[in-house]
């Protein structure tokens, strides 16, 4: 269940952020999955019983939403999309004003057919949070969307949003979506305790740190051109201490009879604050890590986390 929303999403979500490019950046348009490959990954997600497809209005310049929307008829998956990132020839930034949200939601509805779950892509320092919250809560009230949440928010920002929603008497955001994995655990310090105390959901993205938490780079290989790790500009692959820890993770994975990626996903799925893990396989073969997730006991989870 996704926090207090009353919506069941399962424990794995398919992330469509690689369709048409990697995320919102114009620099990666045309990278990742083309439309045909995107439809195949969506079919594979549906075949595994994955209930929720996650996209955004800015992914691939709108191509991700278009492909998901063309695929959706005949499928009963829930659809989540995002608003806020403004990526254009004449403007870059974040806009969570009421006018922008309503305008972009009309575009998303045209592309997708419906929107079940709606997320702010990142905070907008220029728009009062009250304006954003009132707009999103109103969309739930009038039945345009079923629930809303936030992405890329830290603990102080979440506290401000919750306090503002309570002060206004409007529905709170139901869940958060941030980067979180074995190499990126900053949310554990303040944000995740707050989420659990408030009963909110948590659907982390980048569960494999762009592929670093896999067997792909154990031998020192460089990220392939136009790969997710190259697109992210993350220097994990050149950090000797990170390589060492991932090799130790790989050894534990072998003890469990699974890949390093499967074990990293297993640890994340088991995390007490995590509602569902967002996965984004680029190839059919990469589903193997999802299929091979194992149930970890307390001792195994603690040993993996200690790395």
């Amino acid at each position: 269940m996704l926090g207090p929303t009353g919506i069941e999403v399962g424990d794995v979500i398919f992330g469509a952020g690689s369709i048409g490019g990697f995320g919102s950046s114009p620099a990666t348009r045309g990278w990742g999955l083309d439309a045909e490959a995107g439809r195949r990954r969506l079919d594979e997600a549906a075949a595994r019983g994955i209930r929720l497809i996650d996209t955004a209005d800015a992914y691939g310049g709108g191509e991700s939403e278009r492909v998901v929307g063309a695929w959706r008829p005949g499928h009963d998956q829930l659809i989540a999309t995002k608003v806020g990132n403004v990526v254009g020839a004449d403007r870059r930034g974040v806009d969570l004003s009421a006018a922008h949200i309503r305008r972009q939601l009309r575009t998303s509805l045209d592309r997708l057919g419906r929107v079940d779950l709606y997320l702010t892509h990142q905070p907008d320092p220029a728009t009062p949070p009250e304006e954003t919250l009132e707009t999103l809560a109103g969309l739930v009230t009038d039945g345009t969307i079923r629930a809303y949440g936030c992405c890329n928010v830290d603990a102080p920002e979440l506290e401000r949003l919750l306090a503002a929603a309570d002060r206004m008497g409007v529905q709170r955001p139901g869940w958060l979506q941030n980067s979180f994995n074995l190499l990126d655990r900053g949310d554990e310090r303040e944000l995740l305790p707050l989420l659990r105390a408030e009963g909110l959901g948590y659907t982390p993205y980048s569960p494999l740190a762009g592929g670093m938490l896999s067997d792909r780079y154990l031998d020192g290989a460089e990220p392939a051109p136009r790969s997710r790790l190259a697109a992210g500009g993350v220097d994990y692959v050149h950090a000797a201490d990170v390589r060492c820890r991932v090799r130790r993770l790989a050894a534990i994975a072998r003890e469990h009879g699974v890949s390093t990626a499967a074990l990293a996903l297993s640890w994340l799925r088991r995390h007490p604050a995590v509602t569902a893990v967002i996965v984004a396989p680029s190839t059919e073969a990469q589903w193997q890590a999802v299929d091979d997730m194992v149930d970890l006991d307390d001792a195994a989870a603690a040993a993996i986390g200690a790395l």
Side-chain angles (χ1 to χ4, degrees):
M1 300 299 292
L2 186 58
T5 66
I7 299 171
E8 184 178 352
V9 298
D11 59 2
V12 176
I13 297 167
F14 177 72
S18 297
I19 299 176
F22 285 124
S24 305
S25 173
T28 64
R29 298 272 169 84
W31 297 18
L33 303 174
D34 60 20
E36 181 180 353
R39 287 190 293 270
R40 288 199 299 270
R41 301 295 87 79
L42 288 162
D43 285 339
E44 292 154 7
R48 285 165 170 79
I50 290 176
R51 294 176 52 85
L52 177 58
I53 308 301
D54 177 90
T55 183
D57 64 0
Y59 286 165
E63 180 68 2
S64 178
E65 280 193 339
R66 286 188 285 269
V67 171
V68 172
W71 171 86
R72 189 187 62 78
H75 299 89
D76 62 359
Q77 273 67 25
L78 298 167
I79 304 296
T81 193
K82 308 176 191 71
V83 65
N85 278 7
V86 179
V87 184
D90 59 345
R91 186 181 175 204
R92 303 280 176 88
V94 183
D95 189 344
L96 292 178
S97 65
H100 183 78
I101 290 172
R102 294 191 181 103
R103 180 172 58 250
Q104 288 305 117
L105 182 55
R106 286 194 297 270
T107 297
S108 292
L109 287 168
D110 286 344
R111 294 170 177 166
L112 293 164
R114 75 164 195 270
V115 172
D116 300 293
L117 307 176
Y118 208 34
L119 292 142
T120 57
H121 217 141
Q122 56 184 308
D124 173 11
T127 299
E130 292 82 1
E131 178 178 344
T132 301
L133 293 168
E134 184 176 33
T135 304
L136 294 169
L139 292 170
V140 177
T141 300
D142 67 22
T144 306
I145 60 175
R146 295 179 61 186
Y148 78 94
C150 306
C151 297
N152 302 308
V153 169
D154 61 17
E157 177 68 17
L158 177 59
E159 288 179 326
R160 287 192 290 272
L161 292 172
L162 296 178
D166 292 347
R167 188 169 59 250
M168 299 165 63
V170 301
Q171 182 170 321
R172 291 169 148 204
W175 76 104
L176 256 67
Q177 189 165 298
N178 285 4
S179 172
F180 185 63
N181 55 60
L182 277 166
L183 291 173
D184 181 8
R185 294 172 65 181
D187 280 359
E188 284 184 321
R189 289 190 291 272
E190 297 180 350
L191 182 65
L192 296 190
L194 175 60
L195 286 178
R196 298 185 72 189
E198 298 291 345
L200 303 185
Y202 187 61
T203 57
Y205 63 86
S206 194
L208 299 179
M212 192 64 206
L213 289 165
S214 71
D215 297 314
R216 193 180 316 169
Y217 300 109
L218 291 178
D219 61 357
E222 291 292 318
R226 296 194 167 197
S227 67
R228 188 176 284 113
L229 195 59
V234 178
D235 205 30
Y236 288 135
V237 75
H238 298 296
D241 64 322
V242 170
R243 284 183 185 272
C244 178
R245 281 179 279 167
V246 176
R247 289 191 187 98
R248 291 166 64 192
L249 181 67
I252 298 176
R254 287 193 294 272
E255 294 172 3
H256 284 81
V258 298
S259 67
T260 304
L263 193 66
L265 291 176
S266 301
W267 178 88
L268 194 58
R269 182 180 65 170
R270 187 191 182 280
H271 196 287
V274 170
T275 305
V277 179
I278 298 176
V279 301
S282 296
T283 65
E284 184 177 6
Q286 288 178 1
W287 283 107
Q288 195 65 49
V290 180
D291 297 339
D292 288 348
M293 284 190 292
V294 294
D295 294 325
L296 299 171
D297 59 26
D298 290 344
I304 292 166
L307 294 180

